[in-house]
Amino acid sequence: LWPEGNDACEHLLVEDNVHLRDICERLLHGGSLKAKYGVALSAKFPENGRVYLRGSLPSPATTRDIYFDVDGAADGDEEDLSAEGGAKPHGHGHSQFDIVLSTYSMFDIGLRLARRRKILHLWALTNNFLIIVERGTKEGFKAILEARTVLLRKFEKDKIGHIVSPCPHSFDCPKKGSICNFMSDLTAFRLTEAWSTPQTELFSYLIVCKHLPAGGSEEVRQLYSNLSRVVSHKVNKSATADVVLHDLCTPRGSVERVSFARKHIPKQLFYYMKYCQAGDIAPVQSYEGLEADDAD
């Protein structure tokens, strides 16, 4: 959570569950969990930054767009979000943050209107990058698709905002009838059990930004924007196969099943595609010499 060389000067952690917030506060202030939870656990927090903890989102500079851009909100129905966010936390003077991360939180909101307001609330708090992560289930992916739809409508209205990942386009999602998820190994956080071996977690995610990152030549940026992304967990899994199949989400807004044959493509590209994972960039601009079909 706190990588080496972390240059962030402030962190704001939001947790509405009072018991989890109690654990966070104890760890944050160097307390022990032994007496109350029966486990010796400590956490290392960044030495060069301030960490704040609160139970609800802070209010953005303005709440107007949160209520005007949601389906069902009437014009002139601007409301105060003090009940949901309240004043800024003590010692914290910002209404926007360079990186806003929401993990496994949309699925818990039952009402569609409340979810959409939450998405716009997070976007209003975002100065640069907004990252939304949900479980890699059909329902979790539906929550990601809903966030994507709300944000794309907001981008079009305000003429600001871009999808960074995983989508290489802003068209309708070609996988909305199925599921788009990715895998990562993690070690579960447990209070009452011994640390387990890493487990595989399926997740769906969306990363958007208000301004595309600066740096690099325009040619490189244009090249990156025209590349597809792998969205399959390797269709054929034979380690000795001379042909690798992958589903690629293309900048044209389609998912295509592409065949990478060892004898038809450069060696480096073949081995890259053989060992890449869902979510990786496919360094292919043209399918010339490759077999491509629309994926189901």
Side-chain angles (χ1 to χ4, degrees), residues 66-85:
I66 296 177
Y67 288 90
F68 280 16
D69 292 341
V70 178
D71 290 345
D75 291 342
D77 190 27
E78 183 174 0
E79 302 179 34
D80 183 9
L81 283 183
S82 59
E84 300 181 23

Side-chain angles (χ1 to χ4, degrees), residues 12 17 23 26 34 37-38 42-43 49 53 73 85 96-97 113 140 153 157 161 167 176 196 199-200 226 248:
L12 176 62
N17 184 290
I23 293 174
R26 288 171 182 268
K34 185 70 176 177
Y37 297 99
S42 62
L53 177 68
Q96 286 192 320
F97 305 85
L113 182 62
R153 185 184 299 123
K157 174 180 179 293
C167 315
K176 62 183 178 182
S196 63
Q199 299 175 343
T200 299
N226 289 329
L248 303 182

Side-chain angles (χ1 to χ4, degrees), residues 160-207:
I160 183 173
H162 310 271
I163 295 180
V164 176
S165 183
C167 315
H169 60 82
S170 298
F171 303 109
D172 287 343
C173 178
K175 298 203 72 174
K176 62 183 178 182
S178 56
I179 187 171
C180 183
N181 57 21
F182 308 90
M183 292 188 297
S184 179
D185 291 335
L186 59 84
T187 300
F189 179 78
R190 291 186 172 92
L191 290 176
T192 58
E193 301 179 19
W195 290 97
S196 63
T197 56
Q199 299 175 343
T200 299
E201 178 84 357
L202 284 173
F203 65 94
S204 297
Y205 77 98
L206 177 68
I207 301 177

Side-chain angles (χ1 to χ4, degrees), residues 109-167:
I109 305 175
L111 296 177
R112 186 183 70 167
L113 182 62
R115 286 196 305 271
R116 297 190 173 194
R117 283 181 172 176
K118 174 74 170 291
I119 293 164
L120 291 174
H121 192 163
L122 292 171
W123 182 243
L125 294 173
T126 301
N127 182 49
N128 202 347
F129 289 95
L130 170 60
I131 306 170
I132 302 176
V133 183
E134 292 294 329
R135 297 194 182 278
T137 61
K138 287 186 177 181
E139 294 303 319
F141 182 50
K142 286 182 181 179
I144 292 295
L145 285 179
E146 183 178 41
R148 186 180 186 273
T149 299
V150 171
L151 289 170
L152 283 176
R153 185 184 299 123
K154 179 68 172 171
F155 298 168
E156 183 178 3
K157 174 180 179 293
D158 294 347
K159 307 303 181 185
I160 183 173
H162 310 271
I163 295 180
V164 176
S165 183
C167 315

